Amino acid sequence: MGFGPKAAQAVDQVGFEYGESLTMASLMGAGVESARNRQQIYQKYQQMIKDPVVGGALRLHVTAALGGDETTGDLVLIEPTAEAKKNAQSEKLAKEINDDLRPLFNRVAQLVAYNGVAFGDAFARIYTKPKKGVVDLYCDEMLLPPLVQPYEKGNQTKVCVLAIGSKMRERLTMNQIARMKMPRLIYTPQPMAVEKAWRSQITEDDPDKLPLMPSLVGGSFLADAEGQFDKFNAAMSGLVGQRVLDSIDESMFTAQVQGMTKEQRQEFLTAIKKMLQRSKQVADDAVKSGIPFLGRIRHILPVFDQKQLLQIQGVNTSGGSGGGRSGNISIEDVLFHAKLLSGSLGVDITMLGFADLMSGGLGDGGFFRTSAQAAERSRTIRSAMSEFFNHIADIHVLYKYGKAFEPKDRPWAINYYGSISALESEHQKTQSDAMNTGAVLVQTLMQAKDLGMDAAATMHLLETVMKLDTAASKLYADAIEKARPSPEGTGAGGFGGAPGGGFGS
């Protein structure tokens, strides 16, 4: 049906005639953003997470995604699935897994989640013992994503290579290491992408024949915030530099020494120099000690023959030209870039210590509105973390019980203690609005019946005035028509079930 060699030849002919061309330039950035290797990308991410705005946004995502038990502070628990509860043995297995792994999961959950949103990947070393399963998880500086290179076959991670020295590498299988892989929503140009595309064998249908290739960097929440981070830093540097420059109090003095001998001039200028140095020393001592100088400084400078000492102010305002500053960098400039940076990270700036900027138009629930938007993006953290924990649980079951489950047959489910409060608030408000809408609709139907409106008028009211769809309007109009009592007063009960009364009349 057109999928054979002839169809392929026809496509090639059409592409040749119309000059259609495909290129892999987008993998290299296409001139918009140059391709970088993984170390360059990770160095940029490490610089960004040290910024308080960026770090605060990432921590907000992590806490919104994980929540926590109010009493114990636990984040994760393992519960039997609905199907496992029907089988006593499967339910017992799920509870044993929860008892064994829950303390380990709760210890590494926040660190793994933070590394995941910051770098796009997170890793944990798995320590196992026969008949005991997973006994410990190591997730520390030695497993930072810049030090680990995962290798994939298709979409499955098969092995990870760790840097354990300047020129030393170590391979770990997936029975020894677990990987939390965040969804790759935004592509970051990388040179390896071209080689990976050449060797990925797109035309290969058998996944077992795909080559083993290094995984590219991706999935970080910082990927689309790099440019705005640089602009924010530039604005901050300009503001700080301007204030540092303005804090320098520099002056120039001219001394009238006409009529003095050489010795008198030297003594006169030396006295002025000592006077200025003494004033500077007093100021420096007060700054270092933190104790203000409350006395007064007096200097005696003997002069004769109308000697003068003139001071020229304003030197520091223009680097010595005396012309003054041509422009100023205000806090509004920095705040504008801070807003754009927080928005690119998926968090409103009002959630990062700027609550005074929240618009009054959002009402009393403004905080829930803004935090709900941040929490929506945090859902991806739970999804990736559940796969991470399920992988560790599979290793635990294999070593302790000698069993292996397909993902759909696992008798356990990874759950989180804390519900996302902002999302719960949004859900409850939506449910409340829906119930109020239903109550108003029922009241309208009762009034339409009591007024004796026929089916056409009722349908016009519901469809045109109340903006219901045609099918629903017809359904309600027909129901009212059936509920209306007959002229003899012997009609069917209708909505209320009262004989001849419809809604209970």
Side-chain angles (χ1 to χ4, degrees), residues 239-260:
L239 179 65
V240 173
Q242 171 182 294
R243 292 185 174 181
V244 170
L245 183 63
D246 290 344
S247 68
I248 300 174
D249 188 7
E250 182 181 4
S251 300
M252 295 180 64
F253 294 90
T254 62
Q256 170 63 270
V257 294
Q258 184 179 3
M260 289 185 177

Side-chain angles (χ1 to χ4, degrees), residues 8 12 24 44 91 98 126 167 180 190 211 234 241 279 285 287 316 359 363 381 411 415 466 479 486 499:
D12 292 340
M24 299 179 69
K44 183 67 174 182
E91 185 176 8
N98 178 64
I126 304 174
K167 295 183 179 180
M180 176 182 170
Q190 300 167 62
S279 298
D285 292 343
V287 172
N316 65 313
S359 172
I381 304 176
N415 290 318
M466 301 185 68
S486 62

Side-chain angles (χ1 to χ4, degrees), residues 147-372:
L147 305 178
V148 184
Q149 173 64 73
Y151 283 79
E152 298 175 334
K153 192 171 185 178
N155 197 39
Q156 296 182 352
T157 306
K158 295 296 184 180
V159 67
C160 291
V161 177
L162 278 68
I164 58 174
S166 58
K167 295 183 179 180
M168 300 175 63
R169 305 290 184 269
E170 185 66 35
R171 298 181 193 73
L172 295 180
T173 66
M174 301 316 293
N175 286 357
Q176 300 171 297
I177 191 171
R179 178 192 184 190
M180 176 182 170
K181 181 181 179 181
M182 294 293 292
R184 268 49 178 168
L185 303 179
I186 300 175
Y187 169 68
T188 303
Q190 300 167 62
M192 182 60 67
V194 176
E195 182 180 351
K196 190 172 183 179
W198 283 340
R199 299 184 58 190
S200 62
Q201 299 183 17
I202 298 298
T203 58
E204 178 60 55
D205 295 327
D206 188 356
D208 295 331
K209 296 181 180 179
L210 292 175
L212 190 66
M213 294 296 296
S215 176
L216 300 178
V217 178
S220 172
F221 283 11
L222 306 179
D224 52 347
E226 291 187 50
Q228 193 54 50
F229 173 76
D230 293 335
K231 295 176 183 178
F232 171 70
N233 264 357
M236 279 292 297
S237 299
L239 179 65
V240 173
Q242 171 182 294
R243 292 185 174 181
V244 170
L245 183 63
D246 290 344
S247 68
I248 300 174
D249 188 7
E250 182 181 4
S251 300
M252 295 180 64
F253 294 90
T254 62
Q256 170 63 270
V257 294
Q258 184 179 3
M260 289 185 177
T261 64
K262 181 179 180 181
E263 292 76 10
Q264 290 173 336
R265 288 199 302 268
Q266 183 175 357
E267 185 177 355
F268 180 72
L269 296 176
T270 301
I272 295 176
K273 181 179 179 181
K274 290 181 178 180
M275 177 182 66
L276 297 176
Q277 288 177 341
R278 171 59 180 162
S279 298
K280 180 179 182 301
Q281 184 64 42
V282 171
D284 291 343
D285 292 343
V287 172
K288 291 178 181 178
S289 64
I291 302 175
F293 182 78
L294 303 178
R296 293 186 177 183
I297 302 176
R298 298 288 188 267
H299 301 283
I300 299 177
L301 188 66
V303 297
F304 66 94
D305 196 14
Q306 297 183 353
K307 297 297 182 290
Q308 297 178 355
L309 188 67
L310 301 180
Q311 179 180 4
I312 303 176
Q313 298 283 2
V315 178
N316 65 313
T317 57
S318 59
S321 65
R325 189 180 302 281
S326 59
N328 291 315
I329 301 176
S330 67
I331 190 65
E332 292 298 327
D333 300 326
V334 180
L335 190 59
F336 171 73
H337 289 289
K339 291 177 182 178
L340 293 180
L341 176 60
S342 60
S344 64
L345 294 170
V347 177
D348 192 273
I349 195 172
T350 57
M351 304 298 296
L352 300 175
F354 297 89
D356 57 306
L357 299 178
M358 182 169 291
S359 172
L362 292 174
D364 295 336
F367 280 101
F368 283 110
R369 295 295 183 276
T370 54
S371 58

Side-chain angles (χ1 to χ4, degrees), residues 87 311 505:
N87 186 298
Q311 179 180 4
S505 59

